[in-house]
Amino acid sequence: MDAQEDSSRFAPRPGTTSRNLSSSSSVFFSASQSPFFSPKSPSCQLAAHSDNSSHAKNVYPSTAACPPSDLPKFDQVSSSTCISDCIPSSFGLGQQNHENDHSRPIVKQKKQVKMNETSTSTSSCSNRLRSCDVYIGFHGRKPLLLRFTNWLRAELEVQGLSCFVTDRARCQTTRKHAIVERVMDACTFGVVILTRKSFRNPYTIEELRFFSSKKNLVPIYFDLGPDDCLVRDIIEKRGELWEKHGGELWLLYGGLEKEWRDAVGALSRVDEWKLEAYDGKWRDCILRAVTLLALRLGRRSVVDRLTKWREHAEKEEFPFPQNENFVGRKKELSELEFMLFGDVSGDAENYYFDLKARPRRKNLTIGWGRGNSIDEKRKGRQSENSKRKGKEPVVWKESEKEIEMQNNDFPQAQQHMPKPKSNVKHGRRRRSMKVVYGKGIACVSGDWGMGKTELLLEFAYRFHQRYKMVLWIGGESRYIRQNYLNLWPFLEVDVGVENFQGKSRIKSFEEQENAAIAKVRKELMRNMPFLVVIDNLENEKDWWDHKLVMDLLPRFGGETHVIISTRLSCVLNLEPLRLSYLSGIEAMSLMQGNVKDLAVPEIDALKVIEEKLGRLTLGLAIVGAILSELPINPSRLLDTINRMPSRDITWSGRESHSLRRKNFLLQLFEVCFSIFDHADGPRSLATRMVLASGWFAPAPTPVSLLALAASKIPEKHHRRQLWKKVLSSLTCGLTSSYSRRSETEASSLLLRFNFARACMKEGYIHFNSLLKLYARKRGVTGVAQAMVQAVISRGSINQHSEHVWAACFLLFRFGNDPIVVELKVTDLLFFVKEVILPLAIRAFITFSRCTAALELLRLCTDALEAADQAFVTPVDKWLDKSLCWKPIQTNAQLNPCLWQELALQRATVLEIRSKLMIRGGQFDIGDDLIRKALFIRTSICGDDHPDTVSAQETLTKLTRLLANVQSHISP
């Protein structure tokens, strides 16, 4: 339900379907509990059913008390939070998102308003009034105020506190005002949200007087502080705040001065409640308000639950610490704020005019496909009266592959458009819009090393108080789905496959995966505001099953916001915010760092470096670190970079065109490698850690695992003597201090030179994707092998699952990728038993990643079969001669124990695959797999071995299931 609509939920409109009003159906007034409904009233029964059913449909709020002129427009969020003509049940100010939301358009039209005006319930309201826990009163229509109020209501609801929210100034009937007054009298606490315009509203003044007299007033200061609410300052217009909004405000509504003074003066006597959302501290204010209210109401469990969640969020909310040296991007930050919230605050208001001046498009589309032209024409005719008044009613539509936001003027514009082609891709490109503001979706596009992650991180830190939590997701195509499902602990949902087993039939693997995704998506579509950050989105489609990434995202326009960073030119049919280069002043500031008072020739050298780097943020930061850490001036550094020979690297694929133009940046990388090697010797741990990082997953990497992989890299040739002489003078002061660093010191060195980024998780560091790509292309032999050996030795399924998957990608032939690393049979057996089997089972059972788990086990089976085939091939003839007393033809005969262990391990993998096939209803494939496993075990272990008996039981179960299937499909 939109934020503009009626605040209280009563009987559904005629011809509409009832639906549950919130994620928790039991914490608000239900129709059966309402004192204002006769039990015999039909509308009461309908509402009761909707409140008590967890899968009920939408209850459209009544807008009878609101004039047609107040109906919502696309570019103006309004609050019609008034009391309807029926029961005061639970309600929300924002978009109510439930599992059936995305299949139904929400259309607000004048015709429905007239229908409500004539359908007022005539039932008697004589039942005894039941109290609610919290009454929330507010006044205003600004999007940020509505968002804050909606979040407060949703948080109270989730924690089990019943509440009633209203803007009484929007109520236009005496009956509704009477209902609100009775609720105010019955509630336990009265929360009043105060803004700069609250003191000119008679209803806010009345709420302050009423609740202060009952000693249950809970004021929340939204855009002002407690010290601003002084009677004398307001009346005499003291200070910048009241110079515009102050004065004898009671005269504006014809009130009494004494009552106004008493109401405002009561705020100074409420000492125990100091709840301030001022200066954007929304999260702290709301959580503290819920905690204090729960304590006063005796709900100790709520306090404990909030405390535990808050501790968990503080540790794992952000992947990286805030960049204290962040430079520039003020306009980009303000534009992101406007794109997500539809409003700006603070210093960002300086850029507000430029953003507001963008021309609006008449037809805005987010997603794929086109709407039904017949429906659009019908809706266009229904909105003719609104168009005459300059209104543009908005229709939200969403289907499986379509999320559209269209105004009803679309049919006339479409008359002159060509018929859409069947090719969805071309249609999407042609209809892509420029920018959508205020709908909770933003995309940032830029080249390698441009600073996209830095911008998103800075935005997340600046505005994290406006969200319950920031959810950071790596957008790399192979890992994005797992990263998305990793959100389940924060959203408190279970995405395990065991919860999706139905009694009537077994769900397919695709259905189970979709159900897991839908659970996370559903939580993100509730009224809780989350910020989902998808960093470095590689592709619009998932690598595993080529499904659209859009299937993961919540519906646009809800409380949850989504920011995406990518190198793609267009994502989700959105024209992204293209990240430009830093200005010259900002680039110079980033390069100079702590170095000040440079001579003119040195400034000129910095400008040359800046130009050759293309003002890439990554390169500028590395230059600034070198100048700060080493006794070298810019001109000498420029000369060193120019003299550094380039490596002969063959670029291919998408990165070729972009990276060929970054030769100077790659030379800068080589200068840093030379510095590390000279400071720590030719076996520099820091250099080898960078080289090893290229083969790890695009996620924070544990320093211990990275150092272990670096230590396993084989010896390499010494660098040219020439460059050792050139760089010796640069690092003469560092040789003794940097010699033979431990892994901690090596990681610290990488952080100081901006080669790596610190992580919030202790003992982890993160490398830029461009640097990781260069490390892979640099061509040092044995690095990938060292990475896999490190994962085998010290990898943890629970802590390092991404890097374990990265090792699997190197070992097996996923898709068209070649096998990069080959293991010995003994290492392969250990890796399969200790790593692959637990990883696959965890992915399948815990995260419902059926496709990935089964593909991993299939490739594992192929690898074991290939190793087994090598065992049964004839050995070299010299073995026959050396063992002339007993000719040996195969390796299996030479090492029978190892061959048996290999065969039994293959049988174990086959049996696990067979059991997983049962969970997806693929009994025929499971039967074939278990028969192979049974043959191996019978041949080696015999019929009476426990493993053979277990396989035989699995086969019996599959035979029975297959027979049941045959009996159902046979005529």
Side-chain angles (χ1 to χ4, degrees), residues 665-677:
L665 177 63
L666 304 184
Q667 288 178 292
L668 177 61
F669 289 165
E670 288 297 327
V671 169
C672 292
F673 287 140
S674 299
I675 293 173
F676 299 156
D677 286 355

Side-chain angles (χ1 to χ4, degrees), residues 534-651:
I534 303 180
D535 187 28
N536 192 25
L537 181 66
E538 288 184 342
N539 200 306
E540 289 189 76
K541 294 184 178 180
D542 183 74
W543 183 84
W544 291 95
D545 55 13
H546 306 291
K547 290 185 178 180
L548 296 171
V549 173
M550 188 172 185
D551 295 340
L552 307 178
L553 302 180
R555 174 177 177 172
F556 304 152
E559 299 300 316
T560 293
H561 290 171
V562 179
I563 308 182
I564 302 172
S565 70
T566 181
R567 296 192 303 274
L568 302 175
S569 58
C570 183
V571 175
L572 304 182
N573 204 25
L574 289 172
E575 184 70 23
L577 170 63
R578 302 193 183 280
L579 202 59
S580 61
Y581 301 98
L582 293 174
S583 67
I585 297 177
E586 293 168 346
M588 291 293 292
S589 173
L590 189 57
M591 284 191 298
Q592 284 185 257
N594 299 328
V595 180
K596 305 297 181 183
D597 302 327
L598 291 175
V600 174
E602 303 303 329
I603 296 292
D604 294 338
L606 281 181
K607 291 181 178 179
V608 174
I609 294 175
E610 167 198 332
E611 181 181 354
K612 288 193 172 186
L613 285 175
R615 291 184 185 173
L616 291 178
T617 307
L618 175 63
L620 298 175
I622 293 176
V623 169
I626 293 175
L627 296 177
S628 299
E629 294 289 332
L630 301 179
I632 182 175
N633 54 38
S635 58
R636 193 172 182 185
L637 175 60
L638 175 61
D639 180 64
T640 303
I641 298 174
N642 287 329
R643 295 172 61 189
M644 179 62 66
S646 302
R647 286 185 171 265
D648 187 13
I649 296 178
T650 302
W651 301 106

Side-chain angles (χ1 to χ4, degrees), residues 262-450:
D262 292 343
V264 178
L267 294 174
S268 61
R269 297 189 293 271
V270 184
D271 297 328
E272 63 273 21
W273 302 94
K274 293 293 183 180
L275 302 175
E276 299 182 46
Y278 186 55
D279 200 20
K281 298 178 181 178
W282 293 11
R283 185 196 299 180
D284 292 343
C285 176
I286 288 177
L287 293 182
R288 186 165 181 263
V290 176
T291 300
L292 292 176
L293 289 169
L295 279 175
R296 295 297 181 89
L297 293 169
R299 314 283 178 86
R300 185 66 196 179
S301 60
V302 173
V303 179
D304 297 337
R305 185 164 59 248
L306 282 176
T307 302
K308 183 178 179 180
W309 182 90
R310 196 166 188 172
E311 292 174 354
H312 181 53
E314 288 177 354
K315 292 180 181 179
E316 302 188 28
E317 179 175 19
F318 292 99
F320 315 116
Q322 188 172 12
N323 184 2
E324 298 179 355
N325 300 318
F326 185 83
V327 174
R329 306 296 189 196
K330 291 183 178 180
K331 188 168 185 178
E332 287 84 351
L333 288 169
S334 63
E335 188 161 359
L336 281 178
E337 180 185 2
F338 192 46
M339 292 169 71
L340 294 177
F341 295 99
D343 198 0
V344 291
S345 59
D347 296 337
E349 293 179 355
N350 299 330
Y351 304 96
Y352 183 74
F353 179 79
D354 295 336
L355 300 174
K356 195 70 174 176
R358 287 181 178 267
R360 282 182 52 197
R361 294 169 63 99
K362 289 188 176 181
N363 306 301
L364 301 180
T365 304
I366 307 176
W368 292 267
R370 299 177 182 272
N372 187 300
S373 58
I374 298 177
D375 292 340
E376 290 162 357
K377 291 178 181 179
R378 174 178 55 81
K379 293 166 187 173
R381 289 194 297 269
Q382 290 176 342
S383 61
E384 287 179 356
N385 293 335
S386 295
K387 292 177 192 174
R388 295 191 187 102
K389 297 180 180 180
K391 307 294 182 182
E392 295 181 351
V394 173
V395 179
W396 270 100
K397 299 181 65 179
E398 180 173 341
S399 62
E400 183 178 356
K401 290 188 177 181
E402 176 183 60
I403 299 181
E404 293 189 355
M405 184 183 61
Q406 306 167 325
N407 77 24
N408 291 340
D409 196 33
F410 180 76
Q412 289 140 355
Q414 194 181 30
Q415 292 175 359
H416 306 287
M417 295 177 62
K419 184 177 180 180
K421 298 180 180 180
S422 58
N423 191 321
V424 177
K425 178 180 179 181
H426 294 290
R428 182 171 76 249
R429 295 296 181 188
R430 183 174 63 252
R431 287 171 54 85
S432 64
M433 60 185 177
K434 293 300 180 184
V435 180
V436 174
Y437 292 111
K439 293 302 168 187
I441 175 69
C443 181
V444 178
S445 176
D447 201 359
W448 299 86
M450 189 67 73

